[in-house]
Amino acid sequence: MCGIAGWVDWSRDLSDQQPILKKMTDAITHRGPDAEGFWTSKRAAFGHRRLIVIDPEGGLQPMVYKDGDYTITLTYNGEIYNYQELRKELEEKGHVFRTKSDTEVLLHAYLEWQEDCIEHFNGIFAFGIWDERRSQLMLGRDHLGVKPLFFAQRGSAILFGSELKVLLSHPLVETEIDSEGLAEVFSLGPIRTPGHGVFKDIKEVRAGHYITFTPNKVNVKRYWTLESKEHLDDVNTTVETIRSILEDTVKRQLIADVSVVSMLSGGLDSSGLTALAAKEFAKNGKTLHTYSIDFVNNERDFEQDFLRRDLDEPWVKRVAEHIGTHHHTIVFGADKLVENLLVPMRARDLPGIGELETSLYLLFKEMKKDATVALSGESADEVFSGYPWFHQEQFLNADVFPWLVNMSFMLDILSEDLKAKIQPEQYQKQRFQEAVSEVPFLDGESSLQAKQRQMSYMFITRFLPFMLDRKDRASMMTGFEVRVPFCDYRLVEYLWNVPFELKSIDNIEKGILRRAFQHVLPDDVRNRRKSAYPSTKDAAYLQGISNWMLEVLNDSNSPILPLIDADRVRAIAEGKDEVISGTKARGLLDYLLQINSWLQEYHIHIRL
């Protein structure tokens, strides 16, 4: 994994612009702590920060192909999991390779198929290719959007990079936000609109898309989409297909020239992947190392809620012992979580979900001490329709995103002036209707089936990108790569058309996945009900962020003050609000603290 940066300008000579390019790549040193590289020409300047995972000697970037008087240059972040098959195919077509890297395979795939090369890749990737002979820049992103890619047009210039901070480091880009950007932050919260960069005139290449830029034209192409069709496989065939894809993708995603470990929560998703990975390790006489997170006094403080049924740790031990992994439990206290609250915001360059991101960052920071790559069970709930929202009428029939249904209290603390300018309820409904208009409904489905398909689309195309961003920024902030086997596009395509009643066979969420893991997990683990990523229940955490919020409210220079109902927020921080308290208060205060620091640290200019 790496960090990329680029600058193309058809009206300016960029040959001597490496100092600015270096400033852009320095902003993402954390993504690639092992090496840096630069390439400049008259019209294009590419930079790269490298985290060495495959072919330490041969995978240097930017990678350049020369043919006579022209060059084709690549800067790339990610992994192409089918690169070995592609390399063989390209060699049969006459291509000659100098390295063992997937980077060179991607470059030669472009030489062979040009833009269509992206349809040959199975992986997680974001890349920029400058084709000098065509005077064209191509930006491409993987099917599910696992790897990030932002861009901005400024006059004749195109700027791009792995993170927003790459663009914000360029003198042509100002830290401006308009009413639409504020609506993204305050109406939608951290789960924002795909393609929207929040900052004024900064955009994101959407998952499953590529964009080409030439002097006179910008062409946006969607190369991958979910296609609806009748699912004809019987139960056993469906189970075997899921099992086969997962076994194949886990095997592919274990390929690395550095140590690989696995995350393990004791839940179905991570346990199943860990079991498959451990089997591969055992073939080579190796023991897989696994990692989980826990909190100080968690057994004492734990409370059931909508998404969390029980403690993870007993199940983690059960799975680790059954599979035979070398397990590590990483434990944090409330003080550490409060102290590091702003790190994920700085990693994302936007406010996020607070403690749930902070603990993930701290976990990855510890895992990085032992390894460079990890497997994660992320995205199984989105792909297999595992969340409670999928079968409850109030969510299925809502006219906003399901995760916003019980979050209206977030809008209650906005100032009347801000509400008038961003119209938050209207903005939520507008973005929801845009998403609904994209859904490829299937003729002949019942009303309930159509609603469930719609729900699935919302989670795969709106909620999942947020979860993947969270994982990418939290891991890459520590120079750590996390791979997500459940995001293999072949699996997502297949599951998209499996009816909800089949996905939830045996009257349990993700029942079909439980059957697929029957050969590697004990029954009690397979039948454990869904319990979400853990959250601390320590009262000291809420007290810590409440005190911090009161300091913000008492500082007349705090930039968030004109945007909120300060009296209402003060009551919440003091524990005197009858509606917003406990878990609600914690999530809200987490978010507001991040917004205030974001506005302050990034020197954001609000243009309404």
Side-chain angles (χ1 to χ4, degrees), residues 21-41:
L21 187 63
K22 179 170 173 51
K23 187 179 179 184
M24 295 167 74
T25 56
D26 281 352
I28 50 170
T29 299
H30 52 274
R31 293 189 75 90
D34 298 331
E36 66 177 359
F38 305 98
W39 176 86
T40 59
S41 68

Side-chain angles (χ1 to χ4, degrees), residues 1 27 92 143 165 198 360 366 402 432 455 490 542 566 569 579 605-606:
M1 290 302 170
E92 291 173 352
H143 303 73
K165 58 177 62 68
V198 178
L360 193 63
E366 291 300 310
F432 177 71
M455 180 78 78
R490 298 169 301 167
L542 178 56
V569 174
V579 177
H605 304 284
I606 298 176

Side-chain angles (χ1 to χ4, degrees), residues 1 31 77-79 81 123-126 141-149 162 204-208 223 253 378-379 460 464-473 475-476 481-489 492:
M1 290 302 170
R31 293 189 75 90
N77 164 34
E79 304 286 348
Y81 297 129
I124 54 178
F125 52 82
R141 194 171 179 207
D142 63 71
H143 303 73
L144 275 297
V146 178
K147 291 289 102 184
L149 185 55
S162 293
E204 175 187 53
V205 179
R206 285 192 64 175
Y223 69 87
Q253 294 191 26
E378 198 78 87
S379 85
I460 292 172
L464 181 56
F466 149 73
M467 296 292 284
L468 294 174
D469 278 352
R470 164 181 172 250
K471 184 137 304 183
D472 174 84
R473 303 308 190 282
S475 60
M476 294 306 293
E481 175 189 324
V482 178
R483 297 176 176 178
V484 280
F486 286 112
C487 279
D488 188 302
Y489 77 91
V492 178

Side-chain angles (χ1 to χ4, degrees), residues 1-2 49 70 77 81 83-84 88 232 243 249 285 402 408 415 453 490 510:
M1 290 302 170
C2 308
R49 293 292 322 191
Y70 75 85
N77 164 34
Y81 297 129
Y83 80 98
Q84 293 174 331
K88 184 177 180 181
L232 300 176
R243 181 181 295 162
T249 195
S408 59
S415 69
R453 185 179 292 277
R490 298 169 301 167
K510 294 182 292 190

Side-chain angles (χ1 to χ4, degrees), residues 230-446:
E230 186 179 359
H231 183 74
L232 300 176
D233 290 348
D234 61 20
V235 174
N236 289 337
T237 303
T238 301
V239 169
E240 286 304 317
T241 301
I242 292 168
R243 181 181 295 162
S244 175
I245 294 174
L246 284 173
E247 288 176 343
D248 178 68
T249 195
V250 167
K251 188 174 182 178
R252 291 176 185 275
Q253 294 191 26
L254 290 176
I255 297 174
D257 292 326
V258 293
S259 55
V260 180
V261 298
S262 184
M263 300 176 70
L264 178 61
S265 70
L268 175 70
D269 313 331
S270 65
S271 298
L273 293 185
T274 297
L276 294 179
K279 284 181 66 176
E280 292 297 320
F281 267 61
K283 291 177 183 178
N284 297 311
K286 296 180 180 179
T287 299
L288 179 67
H289 284 244
T290 51
Y291 294 77
S292 64
I293 190 169
D294 201 6
F295 303 105
V296 174
N297 297 323
N298 201 28
E299 190 170 351
R300 180 198 70 188
D301 298 330
F302 180 79
E303 299 172 1
Q304 279 194 355
D305 60 28
F306 180 64
L307 291 174
R308 297 170 186 86
R309 293 174 178 268
D310 54 11
L311 288 166
D312 281 347
E313 202 57 23
W315 291 100
V316 168
K317 292 177 180 177
R318 167 80 170 106
V319 175
E321 289 173 1
H322 175 81
I323 296 172
T325 71
H326 187 133
H327 188 72
H328 312 257
T329 299
I330 310 300
V331 182
F332 301 113
D335 54 344
K336 199 76 171 175
L337 295 169
V338 174
E339 177 187 336
N340 288 276
L341 174 62
L342 298 180
V343 177
M345 181 275 289
R346 294 166 185 147
R348 190 195 285 271
D349 303 306
L350 292 168
I353 53 171
E355 175 246 324
L356 295 178
E357 276 182 294
T358 309
S359 61
L360 193 63
Y361 157 74
L362 291 171
L363 173 61
F364 290 145
K365 188 177 180 181
E366 291 300 310
M367 293 174 71
K368 173 64 176 178
K369 295 176 181 178
D370 302 331
T372 303
V373 178
L375 296 186
S376 165
E378 198 78 87
S379 85
D381 285 304
E382 290 80 10
V383 175
F384 283 88
S385 306
Y387 290 115
W389 294 297
F390 277 90
H391 56 81
Q392 297 185 15
E393 286 189 14
Q394 71 171 124
F395 301 109
L396 286 169
N397 297 323
D399 60 356
V400 295
F401 296 111
W403 47 88
L404 294 178
V405 169
N406 293 323
M407 299 294 286
S408 59
F409 67 89
M410 295 285 285
L411 306 183
D412 294 341
I413 56 85
L414 304 183
S415 69
E416 292 303 319
D417 181 59
L418 181 62
K419 286 181 184 179
K421 288 175 178 174
I422 68 172
Q423 299 183 321
E425 293 93 345
Q426 182 179 330
Y427 192 81
Q428 288 179 348
K429 291 178 181 179
Q430 172 195 338
R431 290 305 192 189
F432 177 71
Q433 289 303 321
E434 288 172 359
V436 171
S437 70
E438 298 173 5
V439 181
F441 291 106
L442 182 64
D443 290 342
E445 285 186 314
S446 69

